[in-house]
Amino acid sequence: WLELVTCGLAYLAGSIPFGLLVARGVAGIDIRKVGSGNIGATNIGRVLGMKWGMTVLVLDAFKGFLPVWLIPLSLTAGQSDVASGTLQVIAGVATVVGHMFPIWLKFKGGKGVATALGVVLCLAPGASLAGLAGFGLCMLASRIVALSSMTAAVAFAIGQIAILWPNPFNGEKLPLAVFSLAVPALIVLRHRSNIKRLLRGEEQQFQFGSS
């Protein structure tokens, strides 16, 4: 039951559509009908400007961080570190899935990058630095958020597997190793439309809106 409770609470936390709520509260618009139609921080930044884009980024990251930190801590008091770590991984996956497929929006959510950032800052801070470095370097070179986000996901996966080496899939390391491959793969999959535009040379460079 611990796993089910963790999964349910983390999914509900992840499914809070901060981008949609901020856009409605600030500008009275449905962000799904403006710009790229995505509810994430990138589209908010393009449409409403840096301040609100960064606000949504922080909120989405926070909703990723909090369940991974708080839910297992509350449910596994007195239990082993292995049990707590496993619940953290479950919470992390469920939170990212909640953002990508929120029940409130007919399972049509965002790409999950900011939420995954919050998750990995709690779950795997060392490898998250590799992801941030990958994002920053790619963004400097290309100014394309989608490409930078996918680069960050791959860099995180490589970094975390390297940290868990030489036996990343053995024993207590297994849940985190699986997470480190599955969530980046899911993020890349969610960018499939961006990949098609990149291959056609149609993906736009990022710039903040003027609002």
Side-chain angles (χ1 to χ4, degrees), residues 105-186:
L105 304 180
K106 298 180 180 179
F107 305 104
K108 297 178 181 178
K111 303 292 176 67
V113 178
T115 302
L117 172 61
V119 169
V120 301
L121 284 173
C122 183
L123 197 60
S128 69
L129 295 178
L132 288 170
F135 182 91
L137 291 172
C138 188
M139 194 66 181
L140 284 173
S142 68
R143 291 181 57 202
I144 298 176
V145 174
L147 181 60
S148 302
S149 297
M150 289 186 284
T151 300
V154 173
F156 168 80
I158 294 172
Q160 187 56 43
I161 293 299
I163 289 171
L164 296 175
W165 203 260
N167 299 304
F169 300 101
N170 286 351
E172 63 187 57
K173 296 179 181 179
L174 179 61
L176 185 54
V178 172
F179 170 91
S180 301
L181 296 178
V183 170
L186 189 56

Side-chain angles (χ1 to χ4, degrees), residues 79-103:
Q79 296 193 35
S80 69
D81 290 341
V82 175
S84 179
T86 300
L87 283 188
Q88 281 190 306
V89 171
I90 291 172
V93 173
T95 305
V96 173
V97 170
H99 178 82
M100 292 178 174
F101 308 102
I103 190 172

Side-chain angles (χ1 to χ4, degrees), residues 18-20 22-23 27 29-57 60 99 109-114 139 145-146 149 191 194 197 203-211:
F18 283 119
L20 182 69
V22 167
I29 60 174
D30 186 342
I31 196 63
R32 295 170 296 179
K33 299 178 180 178
V34 184
S36 68
N38 194 272
I39 65 170
T42 300
N43 196 35
I44 294 291
R46 281 197 175 106
V47 175
L48 298 181
M50 178 186 293
K51 178 175 70 173
W52 297 114
M54 294 304 296
T55 297
V56 171
L57 174 65
D60 280 347
H99 178 82
K111 303 292 176 67
V113 178
M139 194 66 181
V145 174
S149 297
H191 282 84
N194 303 90
R197 287 195 293 272
E203 187 73 3
Q204 295 181 351
Q205 292 183 325
F206 179 80
Q207 60 181 11
F208 285 107
S210 58
S211 299

